[in-house]
Amino acid sequence: MAKEASRGNKPGDNRTRETSEVLLEMARLTAGPLGMDEVLHRIAGFALRVFKVDGAVIFLYDGRARTITPAAAAYAGAGNGLVEENIALRLHEDSVFSLALEAEGVYALAGEQLQRRDILDLSGPGALRLVPLRADTGTLGLLALANRHAQDTYDRDLTHLLSAVASLAAVIIAKARLIDNLERSEEKYRNLTENASDIVFSLDSSGRFTFLNSRVKDVLGYAPQDLLGTYFSGIVTPESWQQTISLVRRALAEDQGFLAYRWEALHHNGRRVTLDVSASVLRVHGEFQGQQGIARDMSESQRLARELARRDRDLQVSQRRQSELRDYLALVTQVQEEERRRISRELHDDTAQALVALGRRLDLCRELLPAHPDLVSQRLSELAGLVDVTLENLRRYCRELRPSILDDLGLLPALEWLLGGLSEYQVHGRLDVQGQERRLPAQTEVAVFRIVQEALNNVKQHAGPCQVDLAIMYTADRLSIAVTDDGVGFDRTKTGHGSGRLGLVGMNERAALLGGVLKVTSAPGKGTSVHLDLPI
């Protein structure tokens, strides 16, 4: 019986099983919290070992700069380096890399073909194979396998295996790049908090400090590490403790997301310091996780208020501005935390789970293959569908983080893209452009895009079925944009501290940073108009 089972095990079945085992080994090798550099070097070393070549190199492609950079390499012996890492190579139309990036599959060169190329020095005739690393976000680079001997020892099955390894490598590299971007974002956030003029803090659900910036040393005389893990009741009066606990309980009962209260804090030397606190309520899957917010030393503000008491109008303007800034800072804090949770959830619930499911189903295929080859073929087709869904989800996720069309094509195509997404909300968009279109500084284009995006989001959420007109006018030194809809409108005097007002505050802040002016007009039943005017 064993002899008959062995006779029925076709070579193609063995190759399928071997391919599955290779991909699973590669997935395990690159699993875990690895940085981009370590992921790339592990993949290069894995390719060197699996394909038994003299050298394996991963090149990363920059489509905007038209360069390709060797980011990781592995060699069979010492002193066999083919390229220097991290040196960008500018691409030419007839170069090996340009041809390989456009190839549908594996691009191969051997013997005399390599002697006239200017990419890799193989010290004589050799063999070279390059396969594109393509993910949902586009072409990430190339995987290159090189031999110093010109003999071509690759059969069709190894070519298929190389393509499969490159496809999985592209998914893994895209995930590692996303994690690296998140870590850089967190580093920027830490730098922002350390340079803030107010105390930035976070509390867990029981009221213990989990983060404090260095500003607490200037305001209260404590080093941040002295307070981490301690209850905030240790630095405030009993009355402030009770008031805060009462407000938090009310916010949880009423499902509020924002808190504003005052702490009478105790300085390290015993004197009292009045702190105005603006905090966001942190929830994960509906469960209370704590607070994150800012605490502003009001002693200087109180002195300033007394000095400005003789000028009521200026005082009112200052108070309104402070209120808007507190709201905006609370919005930034809340949105940043929500974005962190969303990135973590997307990576865990979507990409990671899909890869785990893919690995488990491949294990099942390996077990079923000897007895049920037809069923395995059907399962492999299903796995292909799972890969397509995973790639589409990753593509959608990357678009939400930042649309590449804004960087690649500019402001107008990006705004047209925004209008194109309104139809599913029963909103018809129309674009009118006057004047000479031109590219603006990157910071200006991003800020204008976000302002229009927020205005259109408000139309989708609140205006109901309607027509929205986006008018853009370029002049010699100014840019004017108007977003006008004929929806239900709203009463601005009744807009509270919810997301609607915070969105308007964010739009005003972006316009102010550009030196521009934002004006919003609306009335119930008469639609809404958002007009932005700024110098360019």
Side-chain angles (χ1 to χ4, degrees), residues 91-216:
L91 295 181
H92 303 287
E93 292 183 358
D94 60 343
S95 70
V96 170
F97 287 154
S98 294
L99 298 174
L101 287 170
E102 297 174 359
E104 290 297 327
V106 179
Y107 184 79
L109 291 171
E112 298 295 325
Q113 293 175 300
L114 283 173
Q115 294 183 357
R116 294 188 297 273
R117 300 297 183 176
D118 57 351
I119 301 300
L120 300 179
D121 179 12
L122 298 177
S123 300
L128 177 67
R129 271 173 172 70
L130 302 103
V131 57
L133 301 174
R134 293 193 175 101
D136 53 33
T137 55
T139 300
L140 304 180
L142 291 168
L143 171 61
L145 303 179
N147 279 316
R148 295 190 179 278
H149 301 288
Q151 290 86 349
D152 187 355
T153 60
Y154 287 82
D155 58 20
R156 178 177 300 177
D157 296 324
L158 280 178
T159 299
H160 290 326
L161 178 59
L162 176 57
S163 297
V165 167
S167 296
L168 181 56
V171 174
I172 294 171
I173 292 171
K175 175 186 173 183
R177 177 174 288 175
L178 194 62
I179 293 175
D180 274 8
N181 290 338
L182 174 60
E183 291 175 349
R184 284 194 293 271
S185 175
E186 290 178 339
E187 180 64 24
K188 291 180 181 178
Y189 175 75
R190 286 192 293 269
N191 292 336
L192 176 64
T193 59
E194 287 303 316
N195 294 323
S197 59
D198 301 319
I199 298 174
V200 181
F201 70 90
S202 61
L203 301 171
D204 64 15
S205 58
S206 62
R208 290 175 294 195
F209 286 110
T210 59
F211 174 81
L212 282 159
N213 67 343
S214 57
R215 178 61 175 163
V216 71

Side-chain angles (χ1 to χ4, degrees), residues 34 79 106 163 194 240 302 364 378 458:
L34 304 177
V106 179
S163 297
E194 287 303 316
S240 293
Q302 290 169 350
L364 179 60
Q378 178 183 350
N458 289 335

Side-chain angles (χ1 to χ4, degrees), residues 81 98 321 444 529:
S98 294
R321 180 61 173 165
T444 301
S529 176

